[in-house]
Amino acid sequence: MADSTTSSPAPRATSNRSTTPVSSTFVNYISSQWADRPDEVPAPREQSAYAADRRARISALHPGKRLIIPAGAAKVRSNDCDYPYRAHSAFAHLTGWGSDSVAGSVLVLEPTDDGHTATLYFREAAGRDTNEFYADSDVGEFWTGPRPSLAHVAADLGLATAALPAFSTIIDSVDAATLIVRDADRDVTDQVDGRRLLAADSEALETDGDTELTRDLSELRLVKDAFEIAEMRAAVAATKLGFDDVIRDLPQGVAHNRGERLVEGTFNRRARAEGNTVGYDTIAASGAHACILHWTRNDGAVVPGDLILIDAGIELESYYTADVTRTLPVNGTFSEVQRRVYEAVLEAADAAFAIVKPGLTFREIHAEAMKVIAKKTAEWGLLPVSAEESLEPDHQYHRRYMVHGTSHHLGIDVHDCAAARRELYLDGVLEVGMVFTIEPGLYFQPDDLSVPGEYRGIGVRIEDNILVTESGAENLSVGIPRTADDVEAWVRGDQH
């Protein structure tokens, strides 16, 4: 057995099997005969002005505080393979960098007499006179592709930039007036905490300010600006293409014993073609799997006569994502009971949408949908009491068949603004520019003895993406068929 006191940390998987030559002849040769690479400075991207406004707003909320918002490091999936990189949402929101973000970057807002100055620290491209570009499999350009220069990113984002090693001076000057988004990058957070403890000469660590920063950054996204609303429209339009692909390829799914996987793959292919990726793991839940709210194994068969519930959304390069659910009859026709359940869910969705307007409270949307769910399940004889009695807070029998909420905010995260205060979220008042889902459902588990056998194994959800407008609301996803007749025509290919 090896002596644990003298052992060294295990190397990155590539370091103990590298065959890269190290002779001076090789180093000199690989560093020579490269064409000049022009560094064209781009015009600022459209989002840069909006990101600057967001930084100004968070600056106003934390005067005199240094704000550190890391993008986050790449995360290992298995040995030397990383998960696809996605920067932290707060970082993306404040920089506008989106899918172009370089892993390990950090945005710092340094306090001044009249606000903050913002600097983006990141690992810039390495010169051909270094060995990084060919020998470092983590960040070398031979391995991962070219990285932008400081000047390029500064012009692209309208932000001052600095090389990542210079961030060490920020760490060295951390004090009680420094706040950080704690969950963005564990290593950076640990460095900040260590300096705080040294500065305070105490074992106690005060993180309430960090929590407030994370909360404020989340609440900053409750009302979308014009750029964000345009991105939401584009994400929904791309998502419609994905659903159309699924409909077209549905016969292939039926023919395969794990047809749900084919449905998932078809949609995900469109997501990669039109955007960055999917906004969340696609749910392709056929038959009784539709009763499992977060079914993502997607390893079941797609059987004619069953329904398939597809909950999917495309995330754009800006990270804004749609979140749409449609429930389809696999053979193109709802059975009588399937249609009964589907139209009840649609009625609940339409009732909730009908009341949306500025000044309404967010929780009222859910309450309106629940009135319909209670009414329908009572009409079908599924409740031990009347609909009115079931709606009383100490009863809620109808919630057995829909345990989730009706709405959540949507944007750069599929469940956006999650760290916002309850009084601004669930108890918040709707404002023009808010975007959220309306997604009632009914789920009758296959072993639920409280319902007749004809209902068991049926799961239906209809989810749309809603924008609050001056006059009420707009259903951004209304162009994706949603009535029972339109869905049947869609699946059968009868739509023109």
Side-chain angles (χ1 to χ4, degrees):
M1 177 180 289
D3 183 354
S4 61
T5 62
T6 60
S7 63
S8 58
R12 178 80 164 174
T14 52
S15 62
N16 60 4
R17 54 182 170 82
S18 173
T19 60
T20 304
V22 295
S23 70
S24 59
T25 300
F26 172 77
V27 171
N28 290 333
Y29 185 64
I30 198 171
S31 299
S32 65
Q33 302 182 66
W34 295 104
D36 290 337
R37 182 186 295 173
D39 186 17
E40 298 180 359
V41 176
R45 62 178 63 189
E46 179 187 1
Q47 194 172 348
S48 64
Y50 294 95
D53 178 68
R54 299 164 197 160
R55 293 193 297 272
R57 289 162 60 197
I58 200 67
S59 169
L61 292 174
H62 295 273
K65 301 289 186 179
R66 175 188 291 115
L67 310 180
I68 299 178
I69 304 96
K75 295 179 176 61
V76 175
R77 181 182 185 274
S78 59
N79 279 340
D80 55 328
C81 298
D82 293 334
Y83 285 102
Y85 183 70
R86 187 186 193 279
H88 192 277
S89 294
F91 174 90
H93 192 240
L94 294 183
T95 63
W97 216 358
S99 65
D100 294 326
S101 299
V102 174
S105 301
V106 185
L107 176 68
V108 177
L109 274 62
E110 192 71 21
T112 65
D113 291 338
D114 58 353
H116 289 79
T117 58
T119 303
L120 176 59
Y121 296 83
F122 71 97
R123 188 191 292 269
E124 62 179 323
R128 296 291 168 79
D129 57 343
T130 73
N131 68 357
E132 178 189 289
F133 83 100
Y134 68 87
D136 190 329
S137 62
D138 289 340
V139 298
E141 294 191 9
F142 260 42
W143 300 85
T144 62
R147 296 195 305 277
S149 69
L150 296 176
H152 180 102
V153 174
D156 186 18
L157 302 182
L159 260 172
T161 56
L164 188 59
F167 178 65
S168 62
T169 61
I170 299 296
I171 293 296
D172 290 342
S173 61
V174 162
D175 56 19
T178 299
L179 305 179
I180 185 171
V181 177
R182 300 189 63 81
D183 66 339
D185 190 309
R186 174 48 53 193
D187 181 61
V188 175
T189 300
D190 286 347
Q191 292 181 61
V192 168
D193 286 348
R195 288 291 177 173
R196 284 168 164 171
L197 288 171
L198 287 174
D201 192 24
S202 169
E203 295 183 1
L205 189 63
E206 176 59 60
T207 62
D208 287 350
D210 297 343
T211 301
E212 291 177 6
L213 174 61
T214 297
R215 179 201 70 196
D216 292 342
L217 287 168
S218 191
E219 293 174 358
L220 197 66
R221 307 203 300 265
L222 282 167
V223 175
K224 271 54 180 178
D225 58 39
F227 176 86
E228 294 176 294
I229 292 171
E231 289 296 281
M232 293 305 303
R233 292 186 189 279
V236 169
T239 297
K240 182 183 187 306
L241 296 178
F243 273 94
D244 287 339
D245 291 346
V246 166
I247 295 292
R248 185 183 60 250
D249 293 350
L250 202 54
Q252 297 179 35
V254 171
H256 197 281
N257 65 336
R258 293 208 291 181
E260 291 175 345
R261 291 274 168 97
L262 271 68
V263 170
E264 174 189 358
T266 292
F267 187 87
N268 292 7
R269 178 183 61 183
R270 176 63 72 171
R272 289 292 283 164
E274 303 295 329
N276 180 43
T277 184
V278 289
Y280 51 95
D281 288 343
T282 295
I283 295 172
S286 188
H289 288 164
C291 300
I292 302 173
L293 299 181
H294 286 171
W295 173 257
T296 56
R297 286 183 59 87
N298 298 341
D299 61 357
V302 177
V303 180
D306 282 348
L307 302 177
I308 180 168
L309 184 157
I310 304 168
D311 188 336
I314 291 180
E315 175 186 279
L316 302 183
E317 303 292 354
S318 61
Y319 289 170
Y320 290 87
T321 185
D323 180 7
V324 177
T325 305
R326 292 294 184 262
T327 306
L328 317 172
V330 175
N331 62 6
T333 304
F334 291 102
S335 71
E336 180 184 352
V337 177
Q338 288 170 348
R339 179 178 275 261
R340 183 186 311 153
V341 175
Y342 187 93
E343 291 188 335
V345 173
L346 182 65
E347 183 178 332
D350 289 346
F353 175 76
I355 67 169
V356 175
K357 61 181 180 180
L360 192 78
T361 60
F362 194 74
R363 65 166 61 246
E364 289 179 88
I365 303 169
H366 175 73
E368 195 68 17
M370 288 304 96
K371 292 177 185 177
V372 176
I373 296 299
K375 180 185 72 172
K376 291 298 181 180
T377 51
E379 286 178 359
W380 301 337
L382 307 184
L383 305 183
V385 297
S386 68
E388 292 74 17
E389 291 174 291
S390 187
L391 285 167
E392 294 174 0
D394 58 346
H395 286 156
Q396 301 288 300
Y397 293 100
H398 58 286
R399 294 299 301 278
R400 177 183 180 120
Y401 313 113
M402 182 186 155
V403 298
H404 62 79
T406 302
S407 299
H408 60 79
H409 281 271
L410 180 64
I412 207 166
D413 282 335
V414 66
H415 282 218
D416 212 18
C417 317
R421 287 166 288 185
R422 182 183 181 91
E423 59 264 31
L424 295 182
Y425 199 128
L426 186 59
D427 295 322
V429 175
L430 299 190
E431 298 181 47
V432 174
M434 286 184 169
V435 178
F436 49 80
T437 65
I438 290 181
E439 51 178 310
L442 281 169
Y443 314 90
F444 302 108
Q445 303 291 336
D447 57 352
D448 189 346
L449 301 182
S450 73
V451 300
E454 62 181 355
Y455 288 98
R456 295 174 197 162
I458 293 177
V460 173
R461 181 164 66 252
I462 302 169
E463 179 179 20
D464 286 294
N465 301 166
I466 311 302
L467 168 67
V468 181
T469 65
E470 293 282 357
S471 59
E474 177 186 352
N475 185 342
L476 300 177
S477 51
V478 71
I480 303 175
R482 57 193 300 280
T483 68
D485 289 344
D486 285 349
V487 166
E488 287 182 338
W490 190 27
V491 175
R492 293 197 299 257
D494 296 342
Q495 286 197 335
H496 300 290

